[in-house]
Amino acid sequence: MKKFVSAVLTLLFAAVAGGCSDSSNAKTEKTADELLDIVLSSVEFPQTVSVTDSERIEAMGIDISGTEEYAIVQQMLSVDVVEVIILKVEASEMTSAVKSLEKRKESLIKDYAFYPEQVASAEATVVGSKKNVAYLICHSKAGDAEEKLLKEI
């Protein structure tokens, strides 16, 4: 009986460990714009505007030189603090992409520390990666949006 339980536990552990690993070569088939739409439809966002100007993106501290494609939106009015950045990158660029998004998160927290609602949204910002996607979601319900995004990557 002990051998049976041991064998079952070993198989269970192997299955769990295998399911948690994420191949560095795995890629999502969805475009950056499709992933952005998933985030924007996951929770209520105020009106946003696309950021496409490379100088503006560089001023945000985001290096898009190693990206295959990207989608970025920000709040239209400064009353709300929301921002979504989706970067599809090569595996070799992932660490750099996530670091630049972490710096952007720090900048949002510092820059929008004026009103309680803005502070809450900035501090709720999530940064992460899965497969070939690095992302930043700045929203008071960023965790909910991230959950939906991760299911679709």
Side-chain angles (χ1 to χ4, degrees):
M1 184 66 173
K2 286 183 184 180
K3 287 182 182 182
F4 176 74
V5 171
S6 178
V8 169
L9 289 175
T10 301
L11 287 173
L12 181 62
F13 176 74
V16 169
C20 292
S21 67
D22 191 16
S23 171
S24 61
N25 294 327
K27 294 186 176 187
T28 183
E29 297 300 318
K30 292 189 174 17
T31 67
D33 286 330
E34 289 171 332
L35 295 171
L36 175 65
D37 288 342
I38 290 165
V39 172
L40 293 178
S41 66
S42 64
V43 294
E44 188 175 337
F45 274 83
Q47 198 167 18
T48 59
V49 62
S50 292
V51 179
T52 57
D53 179 56
S54 59
E55 288 181 13
R56 173 71 185 124
I57 294 168
E58 186 177 318
M60 293 167 62
I62 307 301
D63 179 12
I64 57 170
S65 63
T67 60
E68 296 173 2
E69 62 179 287
Y70 63 90
I72 302 172
V73 295
Q74 292 180 316
Q75 70 278 355
M76 186 168 275
L77 302 172
S78 62
V79 174
D80 298 303
V81 179
V82 296
E83 187 168 291
V84 180
I85 302 172
I86 306 288
L87 306 175
K88 287 183 69 176
V89 300
E90 291 293 329
S92 61
E93 299 292 330
M94 186 59 73
T95 301
S96 175
V98 171
K99 282 183 182 178
S100 73
L101 294 176
E102 288 287 352
K103 286 182 183 177
R104 179 63 184 158
K105 176 182 177 178
E106 292 170 14
S107 175
L108 288 168
I109 292 169
K110 184 179 110 188
D111 293 347
Y112 289 100
F114 303 113
Y115 300 102
E117 296 84 18
Q118 292 178 333
V119 171
S121 291
E123 289 180 347
T125 300
V126 294
V127 172
S129 65
K130 183 175 179 183
K131 295 185 180 178
N132 63 324
V133 178
Y135 58 87
L136 174 145
I137 305 169
C138 175
H139 188 282
S140 61
K141 295 182 179 178
D144 295 341
E146 178 184 35
E147 185 178 320
K148 302 267 182 168
L149 175 65
L150 291 173
K151 288 179 183 177
E152 297 293 331
I153 294 179

